[in-house]
Amino acid sequence: MHSVVNANIINSEPYLEVDGISYLSGNIKISGAKNSVLVLMAASLLTEEKLVINNVPELTDIAVMSNLLQEIGVSLYREANKLYLSSNSIKITELPYNLVHALRASFVCIGPLLARKGEVKIPMPGGCRIGARPIEEHIKGLKAMGAEVIIKDGVVCAQIISQRKRLQGAHIKLNCQSVGATETLIMAATLAEGETIIENAAQEPEIQDLANLLISMGAQIFGAGSSKIKIIGKQKLNGSIYSAIPDRIEAGTFLIAAAITRSELSLSPVIPAHLGAIIEKLEECGCSIDIKENAIKITPGKELKSVDISTSPFPGFPTDLQAPFMALMATAKGTSTIIENVFENRMQHVSELKRMGSSIHLSGNTALIEGVKELIPSCLSAGDLRSSAAIVLASISTKGRSIIKGLHHLDRGYENFEEKLNKVGCNIVRKGSKIYQSETMQKGLEDFTDLNQEVA
Ligand code: EPZ
């Protein structure tokens, strides 16, 4: 048994103590999709009526988005996995820098706020750890719909200049299949005058989820999930009660957890069609996959062989699973090539996996991984959200104790990550508490008394 714990190196920052090697068995419940819910929350800005979103995970990203919406006047109440939102009285259309900076995804509020209020000021979200992440596709699309957009002192200031105070339908062709830009423009177009066509649209399941919510609010949207989307604008949208899709990235991460520990595991609920690329690669490396309606079971072979992956927009291999998959390849037989095509700086897990004895040669965004018999436990630090999951998975496959810091990344995007893994046989202890701000979401109950039965 290796042991690398040195209490002196651990300061007051929360950390995980992970005791490998765990063989997993049982069923993991998959949470609602973080990247869907964040945008569904922004869509509440499109209506004066109330919106109830079910299947909302408890995550810091969701809490930050909640804080941001509350700052601009949205009433919000959370009970278990249900979120109640009312954008009846938006006070301001200028988003606070600190919250936009904390959550890049909040930039999609530009579309609904502009469409509903006629103006919006939103700080440039800037780059982040995984890349520069420009926003010109959002802005170009809004300009095509008749908005005047200028960037002044790092703030994007957009307003509708037409006398009728509505955005105008437009024919937009995106230069890249941006998920965020497609979401911004779909939301803006639902309240625009006339028809909008978005070509080269992103096809991710989260886009379909957004379109389904908007359709339930009375919007007319055709073709979401394909590369050409048509939206016929409406004067108003109504409220709705809607359930977010299960998180395909969380599901993919747990499939990899099963594979890396060579354990049999079941997951539900999932939408199998959202997991096509990861299922294909897991089968190729020697796992068998059994799908029954909304449940999936993985049975890995004793020895897994290396396979190559190259990330690309949906339905390709998701960039958000690249880091966890690399952890798996570090323990597979043979040599694997992993190419990251979506973001320019998404290889932060490489140094940590190397610290665990893996053999990885990185050249730009291409990693050559030579599988080793076993990884060794270590003291590790997460550099971004998906890297944090990757190093937890690598740790559970080792013989011994690892220490993992940087948990604010993990808590952004994985609901009860270590609890879920412990339930199926892992031995992970969190020292220190989660950074989660649910208290602020309990404030607005009085605004939802007419939905009392739902709230009770
Ligand atoms: C979404 O980010 C997700 N975030 C990301 O998940 C995910 O990795 C990404 O889509 C790709 O699937 C949310 O949904 C909140 P993009 P987004 O705009 O919308 C370039 C996670 O770990 N681009 O589709 O910001 C861009 O630089 C996160 O949960 C432009 O060039 O991604 C990138 O290379 C991280 N110009 C590519 O497109 C633009 O104007 C894809 O970005 C916009 C984007």
Side-chain angles (χ1 to χ4, degrees), residues 27-31 55 245-247 251 267-271 294-296:
N27 180 64
I28 294 183
K29 184 174 179 297
I30 299 302
S31 299
N55 208 19
I245 53 170
D247 195 313
L267 314 176
S268 63
V270 295
I271 299 176
N294 71 346
I296 186 165

Side-chain angles (χ1 to χ4, degrees), residues 186-250:
I186 290 178
M187 286 192 277
T190 57
L191 291 183
E193 198 166 14
E195 180 181 296
T196 298
I197 304 278
I198 307 172
E199 280 194 71
N200 199 28
Q203 301 175 45
E204 268 65 5
E206 292 75 21
I207 305 278
Q208 293 179 49
D209 208 25
L210 170 65
N212 288 338
L213 164 73
L214 294 170
I215 290 167
S216 79
M217 293 165 72
Q220 273 191 287
I221 303 173
F222 308 92
S226 76
S227 63
K228 186 172 175 180
I229 303 174
K230 179 164 105 177
I231 305 112
I232 300 172
K234 289 282 188 89
Q235 290 262 7
K236 267 180 175 242
L237 295 184
N238 37 258
S240 179
I241 299 179
Y242 186 81
S243 283
I245 53 170
D247 195 313
R248 65 192 168 102
I249 303 302
E250 188 200 17

Side-chain angles (χ1 to χ4, degrees), residues 34-36 38-39 61 103-106 108 128 130-139 176-183 202 204 206 248-249 312-314 318-320 341-344 346 384-386 412-414:
K34 167 192 79 103
N35 286 345
S36 258
L38 289 171
V39 182
D61 272 10
L103 180 66
R104 216 192 158 282
S106 61
V108 294
C128 73
I130 62 174
R133 307 188 76 179
I135 43 147
E136 83 279 352
E137 294 299 319
H138 303 239
I139 291 177
C176 63
Q177 289 190 308
S178 161
V179 175
T182 305
E183 292 165 340
E204 268 65 5
E206 292 75 21
R248 65 192 168 102
I249 303 302
S312 60
F314 190 83
T319 170
D320 295 345
N341 292 307
V342 180
F343 291 110
E344 61 273 27
R346 219 175 192 184
D384 63 61
L385 169 58
R386 306 302 172 188
R412 286 187 48 206
Y414 291 93

